[in-house]
Amino acid sequence: MDQLNDEDTKLYHYENRLKTFEGWPFDEDCSCTPENMAKAGFIHTPSGNSPDIAMCFFCFKELEGWEPDDDPEKEHKSHSASCHFIALRKKVEELTVEELIKLQLERMKYSQNKRIKEEITRFEGAAKLTRANIIKSAMDEE
């Protein structure tokens, strides 16, 4: 598996994150402008009901319910203090290859943890439904 393919690394670049903020509900005269959101590592991931969902491309933390005065960097740090991207002390362009590879390995850990949590949630939902069906079947037999 190629650890650093273009698809995985394109969001390390500010410009690519910024491009995702088309239709973002906050722009000028706000703290959470598309530019500030992208600088803080966020990408815009709207849904039908929530046009202001943003997710860190690195730690996959999703935040919504943004207010015009919310500072994206502060919000990111307060909701995902362990995110390695928001904790970077230098620009991505200044990282060595070794630092970038280590960073990407951390990102992969976040990605796997997110997938595991999603699988557990799906499994728990299916188990709950199966349990309800078993109980209903037992009640019908009485």
Side-chain angles (χ1 to χ4, degrees):
M1 172 163 73
D2 182 9
Q3 301 298 324
L4 293 172
N5 66 44
D6 287 342
E7 195 58 36
D8 284 339
T9 59
K10 73 178 185 180
L11 292 175
Y12 278 95
H13 301 285
Y14 164 80
E15 295 81 16
N16 292 329
R17 293 191 305 275
L18 184 60
K19 288 177 191 174
T20 69
F21 282 91
E22 190 169 311
W24 180 248
F26 303 99
D27 45 18
E28 297 166 16
D29 300 326
C30 294
S31 294
C32 57
T33 62
E35 293 78 12
N36 289 339
M37 296 294 288
K39 283 178 191 170
F42 288 109
I43 58 173
H44 187 205
T45 56
S47 70
N49 300 350
S50 300
D52 71 336
I53 297 177
M55 178 183 74
C56 172
F57 87 96
F58 190 88
C59 70
F60 302 96
K61 179 68 174 178
E62 288 185 325
L63 298 176
E64 64 180 312
W66 290 89
E67 299 290 332
D69 293 334
D70 287 340
D71 180 309
E73 188 172 333
K74 286 180 183 173
E75 292 296 324
H76 193 170
K77 285 178 181 176
S78 73
H79 290 279
S80 188
S82 65
C83 178
H84 290 71
F85 181 80
I86 199 67
L88 278 177
R89 301 203 190 298
K90 42 170 124 166
K91 294 179 180 181
V92 170
E93 296 78 21
E94 297 169 353
L95 295 173
T96 65
V97 172
E98 183 180 0
E99 290 169 327
L100 185 60
I101 289 171
K102 285 180 181 178
L103 199 58
Q104 182 62 9
L105 288 173
E106 290 301 320
R107 182 173 183 257
M108 290 171 66
K109 288 178 191 176
Y110 283 112
S111 176
Q112 291 303 316
N113 285 334
K114 181 180 180 190
R115 285 188 189 126
I116 290 167
K117 286 177 185 174
E118 289 169 352
E119 267 312 302
I120 289 170
T121 300
R122 269 195 291 280
F123 176 81
E124 288 172 341
K128 189 175 184 178
L129 184 60
T130 300
R131 183 176 194 273
N133 288 337
I134 290 169
I135 291 170
K136 184 181 181 305
S137 257
M139 300 291 264
D140 290 345
E141 288 179 7
E142 289 179 0

